[in-house]
Amino acid sequence: MPESKDKKGKAAQASNDEDAAKQKLTPKAAEALLENNPALKNELAGLDKDKAAEALRKMDISELLTGLAVGGKNQKDMASYKFWQTQPVPRFDEAAAAANDVGGPIKMIDPEKVSKTPDPLIEGFEWATLDLTKEEELQELWDLLTYHYVEDDNAMFRFRYSKSFLHWALMAPGWKKEWHVGVRATKSRKLVAAISGIPTELRVREQKIKVTEINFLCIHKKLRSKRLAPVLIKEITRRCYLEGIFQAIYTAGVVLPTPVSSCRYYHRPLDWLKLYEVGFSHLPKGSTKARQISKNHLPSVTSTPNLRPMEVKDIDAVHELLERYLKRFDLNQAFSREEIEHWLVHKGGEADREQVVWSYVAEDPETHKITDFFSFYNLESTIIQHPKHDCLRVAYLYYYATETAFTGDMKALKERLLMLMNDALILAKKARFDVFNALTLHDNPLFLEQLKFGAGDGQLHYYLYNYRTAPIPGGVNDKNLPDEKKMGGVGVVML
């Protein structure tokens, strides 16, 4: 259930006090929290004042004030605070799990007691299961997302998922048709809402669990007042339970009960002038356009020796390297070989499909061992009502790994990543991307600022459904800045 990748709203800032993580919210901080979370404010307004105040007082600054994204007028309906209180998720007002707590399920589910039929919808609407192998149903989902998914607060940009992207994102190994859930208007048969999930495995502090990755919760703008989000979430949960999957992972740009981690978005301009013209980037005071273009200039050739596009023959080597690399993080994805092939290898022969993912490997010329790899994917945004530009090509840093991570030499790792990621920027620029986005997860704090990534306003909060574990570092400190001491937490990239 991801919210906007980086909505351009203002973010509340954490306390500068080094002990902020141990503090509870002051009345002033609680007020700031509510102002930056309209949905939460609306829900608490309907509760008993004393209970609402008590819940707020118990919230940890470290959990909630590391940069809350403002929910704008086009904010997705992520279901209400009241709804989440009924779900098996950690509550705001309960004590966080101890740091040494390996974690586990919140609620044990008996599949025999799970309803075999969905809850009824409001009159005039009915449940549908989408068949994305059919071009017309894939087109329907594309239409819904293209015109009704996330926009920035100023309604300047809207995600434009290609059909190739949806095919890639929703038909991963093990995908289940039943987990592509839709709502149709009974009379017109029009698709007006959807939610989806794909199966995968996570490692949470070395505990391996089967989960559903929940994504693409989208409701037609005219139906946002119909409270469909809770119903959609309950329905996909029911369908997952019937398949024996009782946990899920999802992300949101808004604060819900209760993030297991929070990362911050960073942007590296590749075509600064275009970003400036469309209002994505601003001209810093005292600078000039020419100076900004020069500042963001990249070399035309890469620096990593023996770097080349990843091929099918590299799958096993990349799988082995990535598995070892990801196990260094508290929360990471346990990929199968089939998933590596699906997520990382672009099949060049598919002429009718747009390229979604770019992956590169560095191969030792003598041993032919893959020593490094990195990848990024394409998620374009429509530029709304601009006279010159209609599309923003955005590259998102995806998975990467390097043998240097296992040397124990942090300085060497930093130097290697600076070279690899600078090459990723060069290759993205050659592929005509306008901007390169990355979160503060993995080992990204080692290179973001040095490679001229600018801090975004958006925060991405990670959530686990029906699973409790101690808070996981998101690569940022109490001032919401990249911090090498806060790495080692999040190793999962959500689309």
Side-chain angles (χ1 to χ4, degrees), residues 289-346:
K289 292 181 189 177
R291 199 176 298 163
Q292 290 304 114
I293 292 167
S294 176
K295 176 190 171 185
N296 290 290
H297 176 75
L298 286 161
S300 56
V301 294
T302 56
S303 302
T304 307
N306 309 301
L307 187 67
R308 60 170 175 79
M310 181 180 172
E311 302 172 34
V312 171
K313 68 178 182 179
D314 304 315
I315 291 171
D316 288 326
V318 168
H319 184 208
E320 190 273 336
L321 175 59
L322 182 58
E323 277 285 283
R324 283 190 291 125
Y325 175 78
L326 289 179
K327 284 178 180 177
R328 298 162 58 244
F329 300 94
D330 290 337
L331 175 67
N332 67 84
Q333 196 157 346
F335 285 104
S336 66
R337 185 189 188 279
E338 293 73 27
E339 285 175 321
I340 294 294
E341 180 172 8
H342 174 84
W343 292 119
L344 296 175
V345 180
H346 170 63

Side-chain angles (χ1 to χ4, degrees), residues 161-267:
Y161 293 96
S162 66
K163 290 181 193 171
S164 298
F165 188 100
L166 294 176
H167 192 276
W168 178 69
L170 294 174
M171 300 176 80
W175 70 276
K176 301 177 190 297
K177 177 182 168 184
E178 295 74 25
W179 291 1
H180 298 156
V181 184
V183 173
R184 292 189 183 280
T186 304
K187 285 184 180 177
S188 68
R189 311 301 304 150
K190 183 180 176 68
L191 184 69
V192 295
I195 191 171
S196 69
I198 54 170
T200 192
E201 283 192 315
L202 293 181
R203 282 180 288 253
V204 186
R205 295 193 161 93
E206 299 181 8
Q207 301 286 314
K208 206 172 187 182
I209 57 173
K210 292 188 175 189
V211 302
T212 307
E213 270 191 33
I214 301 294
N215 210 335
F216 302 111
L217 168 58
C218 183
I219 296 164
H220 193 289
K221 286 178 184 176
K222 289 184 179 176
L223 299 176
R224 298 278 166 90
S225 63
K226 301 289 187 185
R227 309 294 301 139
L228 279 174
V231 188
L232 281 162
I233 294 165
K234 283 174 72 176
E235 175 56 13
I236 198 161
T237 300
R238 184 189 71 84
R239 294 187 185 200
C240 292
Y241 283 175
L242 288 175
E243 296 285 344
I245 305 294
F246 308 120
Q247 277 72 40
I249 183 171
Y250 51 101
T251 54
V254 292
V255 175
L256 307 169
T258 298
V260 68
S261 191
S262 298
C263 299
R264 189 176 185 181
Y265 266 101
Y266 273 72
H267 313 286

Side-chain angles (χ1 to χ4, degrees), residues 31 108 112 125 127 141 147 166 171 179 182 231 242 287-288 295 331 340 358 413 428 437 466 480-481 487 493:
E31 189 180 332
M108 300 310 293
E112 297 299 316
F125 299 94
W127 290 110
L141 180 61
Y147 300 109
L166 294 176
M171 300 176 80
W179 291 1
V231 188
L242 288 175
S287 189
T288 63
K295 176 190 171 185
L331 175 67
I340 294 294
W358 281 253
L413 175 60
N437 287 355
N466 195 19
N480 205 22
L481 296 172
M487 298 192 309
V493 181

Side-chain angles (χ1 to χ4, degrees), residues 92-110:
F92 282 142
D93 58 359
E94 69 182 48
N100 59 358
D101 185 355
V102 293
I106 293 171
K107 180 181 180 183
M108 300 310 293
I109 308 298
D110 181 352

Side-chain angles (χ1 to χ4, degrees), residues 372-392:
D372 313 83
F373 106 94
F374 60 77
S375 57
F376 52 87
Y377 64 87
N378 171 25
L379 176 48
E380 295 179 356
S381 282
T382 298
I383 302 169
I384 302 167
Q385 294 182 329
H386 191 275
K388 184 176 177 182
H389 304 288
D390 65 354
C391 176
L392 196 66

